[in-house]
Amino acid sequence: MLQRPNLLHSQSIFRSASRSSRSEQRLDILGASLLGRLRYASSTSGGYSPQSTNEDSHSEFSREGDRPSTTTPSTQASQSSSPSPSQIPPSSRTSPQSDWDENPNLNIDAFSQLPHSNFGVNQHMVINDEFKEALRQILWQFRAPIRYAFAYGSGVFPQNTSSSSASCSTHPPQNPSLTKAKRGTGSQIDFIFGVSYTQHWHSLNLQQHRDHYSALGYLGSALVSRVQDRWGAGVYFNPYITVSGTLIKYGVVNLDTLCKDLSEWDTLYLAGRLQKPVKILRDDPRVRLANQVNLLSAVRTALLLLPPSFSETELYNTIASISYMGDLRMSLRTENYNKVANIVTNQLPNFRRLYSPLIENLPNVSFKDPRCSDPRWADDPTTDAHLSQDMDPVKRGNMVRRLPKSFRQKLYFQYQSRFQIPQLEFDRMLEESSEEDATRIKRRQGGSFEQRIAGDERGLAREVRSVIKRTISWPSTSQSFKGLFTGGIVRTWRYLSEKLQKYREGTTKATKDTGKEKPGSRDEKAKERIS
């Protein structure tokens, strides 16, 4: 009599896992469908369809992370990867600009509450099926509930085409599918786990995986969660952990902390990571909405740093470099200065998938390149399309006004000092542009102060970079020092040694470059981009 409930529970878990697998397959089909529709749109309108994100996505997981959403698209709609014009709904060809980015409701708990049924498809990258399944199997090794999860870094998306036998020798044998997908790099796979209750999660994980923790774990889940939430950027990392024969590093973050950083940029620690392509393994509606705000904010910030005309690569390089400005690892030479260029060069189609639908929805920037009329350009990494933006202070002032709240406030204080504005007058201007003003909350239009900031053509880029550095510097530094306690001295030293090795390899590669650029010139350009 006591065994029957356990049997029923096991059957329930099996059915749930099967449904999750089928749902993820549907998502990948929809992801392929998105690329086909983007190619069709580019052949008819000279660029990505502004509404391409409205049709091709839904979560493969519900908020619990272990069962599919009840509002997945129909199977019939996901069968074709290149739909005909008649298959594209009229609503997806013409869609008014919504206010989801201006007034995001982060209190949602279901995917049906997102702005539209396929909102955020651009966040889901398509990777090798075998590799994806291997990554998902790693998550099943944790009994503690994971609400949101993504894998990122060079272990998931290679940053170069060559493998390093030196780095491979320092790691234990990998899962064959992972080794194949990573081209033999042997680097650890990086994960971020979003959880609802920090202490509860660590309590369960300590019971199952005590060996994942440093000596800090002996002091209990209460102290572990306190160290996570109160130090650094709110992330607790366990590096160099072997799960199912695969070397991984996983960071644990509370969902509230994650959503706040994505929507307000208070640390830019995790927001910066999600501004680059990642593989989402378990999705959450709140995080998907907050991350879409994060991605749009990244585009706006990059536009404030760029000239009237620029290339696609310059845009993505600027976006990818945001998270490295002020990062302690760059100052200590523990990161390759060519890392940003390597990331963008080897992931250009993924960056295109992530940002092109958002770019097409912005009124002050557009693709200006005849090559975009080629239906195959979206998948062509050799195409570097040209874009242009409107430098009108009114439109750029609106962009300033719509920057993330915490980040925007720092920029305002920066310009108070630069313009030498008296405190009373400054307080009045802040009150006029306050989000709590009921007459302005729906518009969030830039006023005279924002337009004055946008009109500072010589100093705006410098001030924005300064605010980015200030935002990142302390959380990044304190998070690095926290690693001594959370990872332990031995693991931290191993991490630094591998980073230093990567830095030396990048420097050696640059000095051996016999192309048009002088040795080291790439490093200098990279330093300028992230400094």
Side-chain angles (χ1 to χ4, degrees):
M1 296 298 295
L2 296 177
Q3 294 180 353
R4 184 171 181 79
N6 292 334
L7 177 61
L8 293 175
H9 179 65
S10 300
Q11 293 174 342
S12 176
I13 292 176
F14 177 78
R15 288 194 297 269
S16 177
S18 300
R19 289 196 299 269
S20 297
S21 177
R22 290 195 298 270
S23 298
E24 183 164 275
Q25 291 175 359
R26 284 198 295 270
L27 179 70
D28 285 346
I29 293 174
L30 291 171
S33 176
L34 169 68
L35 295 178
R37 296 181 187 193
L38 293 181
R39 287 193 290 268
Y40 167 76
S42 65
S43 67
T44 58
S45 62
Y48 276 121
S49 169
Q51 294 76 30
S52 57
T53 59
N54 294 357
E55 294 192 71
D56 301 275
S57 171
H58 216 286
S59 170
E60 67 267 51
F61 295 99
S62 69
R63 57 178 294 187
E64 289 80 13
D66 61 0
R67 68 173 183 268
S69 170
T70 58
T71 55
T72 52
S74 65
T75 306
Q76 181 179 1
S78 63
Q79 294 298 319
S80 174
S81 61
S82 300
S84 64
S86 61
Q87 291 176 306
I88 303 177
S91 60
S92 68
R93 301 188 190 117
T94 57
S95 174
Q97 180 76 14
S98 64
D99 67 345
W100 58 263
D101 63 308
E102 300 181 17
N103 304 280
N105 176 18
L106 298 180
N107 294 321
I108 62 176
D109 57 8
F111 288 100
S112 59
Q113 295 174 285
L114 290 170
H116 47 79
S117 61
N118 298 301
F119 181 85
V121 61
N122 54 307
Q123 300 175 24
H124 287 267
M125 301 296 113
V126 178
I127 64 173
N128 175 272
D129 287 339
E130 185 183 8
F131 185 30
K132 175 192 63 182
E133 183 60 27
L135 294 176
R136 291 184 61 242
Q137 289 301 320
I138 290 175
L139 301 185
W140 287 107
Q141 305 307 312
F142 293 84
R143 295 173 189 162
I146 301 172
R147 287 273 300 276
Y148 181 82
F150 66 87
Y152 67 99
S154 59
V156 181
F157 301 100
Q159 297 174 10
N160 54 66
T161 56
S162 62
S163 61
S164 173
S165 58
S167 65
C168 185
S169 63
T170 63
H171 298 278
Q174 300 286 325
N175 181 303
S177 65
L178 302 188
T179 303
K180 180 180 178 181
K182 292 184 296 171
R183 303 180 185 181
T185 62
S187 59
Q188 63 180 344
I189 306 292
D190 296 332
F191 291 87
I192 292 293
F193 298 160
V195 304
S196 298
Y197 304 102
T198 306
Q199 183 175 346
H200 176 65
W201 196 92
H202 284 295
S203 176
L204 295 175
N205 201 46
L206 279 166
Q207 294 177 26
Q208 183 189 10
H209 299 300
R210 172 61 191 85
D211 58 315
H212 290 188
Y213 292 79
S214 66
L216 200 63
Y218 287 111
L219 301 179
S221 60
L223 183 60
V224 169
S225 62
R226 191 175 299 116
V227 170
Q228 172 183 322
D229 294 332
R230 297 186 182 181
W231 284 18
V235 189
Y236 191 103
F237 281 105
N238 283 327
Y240 300 107
I241 306 300
T242 301
V243 178
S244 299
T246 302
L247 192 66
I248 72 169
K249 176 183 75 177
Y250 65 91
V252 182
V253 62
N254 188 281
L255 284 180
D256 292 336
T257 301
L258 175 59
C259 289
K260 183 178 180 182
D261 192 34
L262 290 173
S263 60
E264 298 186 13
W265 283 15
D266 55 343
T267 68
L268 265 172
Y269 191 82
L270 291 176
R273 280 163 172 74
L274 283 163
Q275 287 165 4
K276 296 178 278 291
V278 304
K279 178 54 185 175
I280 298 173
L281 302 169
R282 289 186 182 171
D283 209 349
D284 179 87
R286 278 201 306 155
V287 180
R288 186 187 289 194
L289 176 58
N291 192 33
Q292 201 75 342
V293 173
N294 172 47
L295 297 175
L296 191 55
S297 298
V299 174
R300 286 172 172 151
T301 302
L303 292 177
L304 294 175
L305 297 172
L306 289 167
S309 298
F310 49 90
S311 69
E312 202 179 11
T313 299
E314 288 176 317
L315 172 64
Y316 302 147
N317 275 334
T318 303
I319 292 174
S321 68
I322 290 176
S323 62
Y324 294 106
M325 297 183 191
D327 193 326
L328 178 65
R329 296 172 299 174
M330 305 304 296
S331 302
L332 296 179
R333 296 189 174 185
T334 56
E335 284 286 5
N336 184 353
Y337 276 117
N338 290 321
K339 184 170 185 175
V340 171
N342 291 339
I343 291 173
V344 174
T345 300
N346 290 280
Q347 300 182 48
L348 186 57
N350 285 335
F351 272 93
R352 220 170 253 153
R353 174 185 176 89
L354 195 60
Y355 287 107
S356 291
L358 300 176
I359 293 171
E360 288 289 351
N361 270 328
L362 289 174
N364 59 323
V365 60
S366 59
F367 287 94
K368 298 291 184 181
D369 197 310
R371 290 175 293 182
C372 295
S373 60
D374 186 345
R376 297 168 296 180
W377 85 278
D379 296 322
D380 184 5
T382 64
T383 298
D384 189 10
H386 295 292
L387 299 93
S388 64
Q389 63 169 320
D390 191 339
M391 304 298 286
D392 178 22
V394 175
K395 292 183 178 180
R396 288 172 70 79
N398 291 340
M399 283 203 303
V400 170
R401 179 66 186 85
R402 293 168 184 172
L403 291 174
K405 180 180 178 181
S406 180
F407 184 83
R408 185 180 71 245
Q409 289 176 345
K410 294 173 186 175
L411 184 64
Y412 284 171
F413 283 111
Q414 195 94 343
Y415 267 96
Q416 179 195 15
S417 175
R418 179 177 176 84
F419 292 155
Q420 297 183 349
I421 301 174
Q423 187 63 43
L424 290 177
E425 182 181 352
F426 181 70
D427 291 341
R428 179 182 58 80
M429 288 189 298
L430 288 183
E431 184 177 356
E432 289 178 354
S433 61
S434 172
E435 289 183 351
E436 285 74 28
D437 186 344
T439 63
R440 301 179 64 86
I441 189 170
K442 292 298 183 183
R443 294 182 296 158
R444 288 184 64 184
Q445 301 293 318
S448 58
F449 182 49
E450 288 83 5
Q451 292 173 19
R452 187 178 178 187
I453 292 174
D456 182 22
E457 296 182 1
R458 294 185 178 181
L460 179 58
R462 181 176 63 253
E463 298 298 338
V464 170
R465 287 192 178 94
S466 176
V467 173
I468 293 174
K469 291 179 183 178
R470 286 174 51 199
T471 301
I472 293 175
S473 179
W474 173 245
S476 172
T477 302
S478 56
Q479 186 72 39
S480 297
F481 282 110
K482 186 169 76 172
L484 292 171
F485 299 94
T486 61
I489 296 177
V490 175
R491 291 174 179 174
T492 301
W493 177 253
R494 180 180 178 182
Y495 174 80
L496 290 174
S497 298
E498 292 190 359
K499 287 294 183 181
L500 287 169
Q501 181 180 351
K502 289 183 179 180
Y503 173 82
R504 288 192 293 267
E505 289 176 353
T507 303
T508 302
K509 185 175 183 293
T511 57
K512 290 182 179 179
D513 188 356
T514 57
K516 296 181 180 180
E517 295 180 313
K518 295 180 181 180
S521 62
R522 289 185 180 179
D523 275 356
E524 294 302 322
K525 290 182 178 180
K527 290 178 183 178
E528 292 177 2
R529 183 166 51 243
I530 62 179
S531 63

